[in-house]
């Protein structure tokens, strides 16, 4: 197989949130959620950056060389992880990007808000040009939910529909590679120690997630000092998971490692609904990319990914 190299973001297992709200347990690949909303960076972007003035867009060959529609704006040779999850959930078509879905009835089944170079911090990635930060993605989702209320006739019907949706977040890597570790563009590395920066990111991410919930092993090619900084973020992520479990009803948060050589944890979640070899199929190799995304390109260093948080039904 041919795998495209990705120059714009860390193409490794990165911070992932799966949020299932008030959703019944799934039988093995037999059921699907009624709607699926995707937030994040180039790991899930499927065309939102195409019309932006930015270097972080890939709507040209060889990107998409293995995708049925060719280049679409996906930062990969074929499907991305959000596409695969959608297939596993039983959707008969890929979730459309916000850039083309807004104003249409397609939003009933979900919208992809992902944007290459986006981060938790609004300024992250600005040296590459336009991008849609997580804060802006959440604003776009608010526009979507308002439109869904119009389509369904009232707010109550919209709330009932949205409470059964899956919310999927892939974000955080660019806040390091396209912010903290580019002092020629950003002051964050002078303002924060790595410990302080991880704390700041977690605090901001926590607020972003809470607003959304209320409203609806490292390889030799890795850069050790960056990984150590990201490890601080991951340690605080564990504490955030505990906090969310203690204070938020309607979801159960689990902390697992994206780089674990044994993917069996996914096969034990809610009647094995993943039914997919997560590590082998999505993240071949522990650092610097793999079969799904390829590896980082250009002059950017390769960084081991953050950890995975899966939120499953059951509260």
């Amino acid at each position: 197989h041919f795998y495209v190299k990705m120059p714009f973001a860390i193409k490794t297992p990165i911070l992932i949130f799966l949020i299932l709200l008030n959703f019944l347990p799934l039988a093995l690949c037999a059921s699907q959620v009624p709607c699926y909303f995707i937030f994040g960076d180039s790991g899930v972007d499927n065309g939102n950056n195409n019309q932006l003035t930015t270097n972080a867009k890939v709507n040209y060959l060889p990107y998409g060389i293995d995708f049925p529609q060719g280049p679409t704006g996906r930062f990969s040779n074929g499907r991305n992880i959000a596409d695969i999850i959608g297939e596993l959930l039983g959707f008969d078509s890929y979730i459309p990007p916000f850039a083309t879905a807004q104003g249409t009835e397609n939003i009933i089944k979900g919208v992809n808000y992902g944007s290459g170079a986006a981060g938790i911090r609004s300024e992250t990635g600005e040296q590459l040009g336009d991008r849609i930060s997580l804060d802006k993605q959440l604003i776009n989702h608010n526009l979507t939910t308002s439109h869904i209320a119009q389509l369904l006739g009232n707010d109550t019907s919209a709330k009932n529909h949205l409470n059964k949706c899956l919310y999927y977040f892939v974000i955080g890597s660019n806040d390091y590679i396209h912010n903290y570790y580019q002092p020629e563009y950003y002051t964050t590395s002078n303002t924060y120690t790595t410990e302080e920066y991880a704390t700041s990111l977690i605090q901001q991410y926590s607020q972003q997630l809470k607003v959304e919930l209320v409203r609806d092993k490292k390889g030799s090619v890795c850069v050790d000092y960056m990984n150590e900084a990201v490890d601080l973020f991951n340690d605080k992520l564990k504490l955030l998971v505990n906090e969310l479990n203690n204070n938020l009803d309607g979801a159960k948060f689990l902390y697992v490692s994206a780089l674990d050589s044994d993917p069996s944890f996914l096969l034990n979640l809610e009647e094995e609904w993943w039914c997919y070899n997560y590590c082998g199929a999505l993240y071949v190799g522990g650092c610097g990319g793999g079969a799904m995304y390829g590896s980082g390109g250009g002059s950017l260093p390769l960084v081991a990914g953050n950890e995975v948080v899966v939120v499953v039904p059951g509260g």
Side-chain angles (χ1 to χ4, degrees):
H1 293 281
F2 173 76
Y3 300 111
V4 177
K5 292 183 179 294
M6 303 301 165
F8 300 117
I10 304 170
K11 295 303 148 203
T12 56
I14 53 181
L15 178 61
I16 298 173
F17 268 86
L18 293 178
I19 300 179
L20 286 81
L21 304 178
N22 300 329
F23 185 60
L24 297 175
L26 293 169
L28 184 62
C29 290
S31 302
Q32 65 176 21
V33 291
C35 41
Y36 173 28
F37 295 103
I38 302 156
F39 303 79
D41 53 27
S42 58
V44 294
D45 188 351
N46 63 347
N48 285 307
N49 279 20
N50 287 354
Q51 302 305 316
L52 301 184
T53 302
T54 178
N55 290 323
K57 59 182 175 183
V58 290
N59 53 337
Y60 53 85
L61 291 171
Y63 297 95
I65 194 170
D66 296 320
F67 196 74
Q69 286 78 42
T72 59
R74 288 168 169 82
F75 286 68
S76 61
N77 55 295
R79 301 168 299 166
N80 61 33
I81 188 171
D83 297 324
I84 293 174
I85 291 174
E87 291 178 351
L88 293 175
L89 291 171
F91 286 92
D92 56 6
S93 60
Y94 297 117
I95 300 299
F98 177 78
T100 59
Q102 58 179 322
T104 72
E105 294 186 2
N106 293 333
I107 61 173
I108 290 291
K109 291 187 176 182
V111 176
N112 186 326
Y113 305 97
S115 174
I120 294 170
R121 295 177 66 94
S122 61
E123 80 275 11
T124 290
E126 64 184 3
Q127 82 278 10
L128 295 174
D130 296 336
R131 71 265 166 249
I132 308 167
S133 69
L134 182 55
D135 281 334
K136 181 62 186 299
Q137 291 178 38
L138 294 172
I139 291 172
N140 289 342
H141 182 57
N142 195 34
L143 295 174
T144 298
T145 58
S146 296
H147 188 202
I148 288 175
Q150 295 175 2
L151 291 173
L152 296 181
N154 55 70
D155 290 341
T156 300
S157 296
K159 182 178 179 180
N160 291 336
H161 179 72
L162 293 168
N163 279 348
K164 300 174 184 177
C165 296
L166 183 146
Y167 285 68
Y168 179 57
F169 289 72
V170 178
I171 200 79
S173 290
N174 289 323
D175 292 292
Y176 286 90
I177 199 67
H178 286 309
N179 190 323
Y180 193 79
Y181 286 110
Q182 295 209 2
E184 64 271 33
Y185 297 110
Y186 304 97
T187 62
T188 46
S189 60
N190 293 321
T191 304
Y192 302 98
T193 66
T194 54
E195 175 77 25
E196 291 167 342
Y197 190 61
T199 297
S200 176
L201 282 180
I202 284 293
Q203 288 173 343
Q204 185 170 349
Y205 196 24
S206 174
Q207 290 304 310
Q208 290 163 330
L209 288 172
K210 288 175 181 177
V211 166
E212 185 54 39
L213 283 168
V214 169
R215 195 181 62 207
D216 343 278
K217 284 158 192 178
K218 305 181 177 78
S220 61
V221 296
C222 295
V223 180
D224 289 339
Y225 71 90
M226 287 191 182
N227 288 325
E228 291 169 0
V230 174
D231 282 342
L232 294 172
F233 179 88
N234 290 330
D235 289 341
K236 294 181 185 299
L237 179 59
K238 297 175 186 177
L239 297 177
L240 174 59
V241 167
N242 290 334
E243 176 194 339
L244 293 174
N245 273 328
N246 290 331
N247 298 313
L248 290 177
D249 295 328
K252 179 181 179 182
F253 292 73
L254 303 177
Y255 180 92
V256 293
S257 174
L259 303 181
D260 196 331
S261 60
D262 179 7
S264 62
F265 69 88
L266 288 171
L267 300 180
N268 295 320
L269 296 180
E270 294 300 324
E271 301 186 40
E272 303 186 354
W273 65 272
W274 272 82
C275 60
Y276 202 81
N277 188 331
Y278 185 86
C279 293
L282 300 183
Y283 297 131
V284 175
C287 180
M292 183 63 193
Y293 294 126
S295 59
S299 59
L300 297 180
L302 301 178
V303 181
N306 297 339
E307 304 304 327
V308 174
V309 175
V310 182
V311 184
V312 296

